[in-house]
Amino acid sequence: MVFVCEHCHFELEATAKPCQCPDCGKLNRIRTATLSESKEFHARKLEDVWQDSTPALAG
């Protein structure tokens, strides 16, 4: 399940709703992600961020 911090908008995946944001540390500001937020989160997980789509310049 995907959760979002209402304060810093950090998204995380967890089996249970955490009471504290692992990014900003705020307490009780975590909510369940909307369906669109959850879909976007899972789509980003599938992206290969290590593949550079721009060619390297010779130099």
Side-chain angles (χ1 to χ4, degrees):
M1 186 173 274
V2 179
F3 298 96
V4 179
C5 175
E6 284 288 335
H7 179 73
C8 71
H9 307 285
F10 181 75
E11 296 174 327
L12 66 138
E13 192 169 30
T15 56
K17 180 178 161 182
C19 63
Q20 185 175 13
C21 176
D23 190 50
C24 71
K26 294 286 185 186
L27 294 171
N28 302 318
R29 299 291 302 266
I30 304 292
R31 65 169 172 81
T32 304
T34 63
L35 182 59
S36 63
E37 288 172 330
S38 184
K39 284 181 180 180
E40 291 171 8
F41 176 84
H42 288 294
R44 281 192 303 274
K45 278 180 49 175
L46 298 175
E47 290 179 18
D48 184 1
V49 297
W50 295 106
Q51 178 147 348
D52 190 3
S53 60
T54 57
L57 299 175

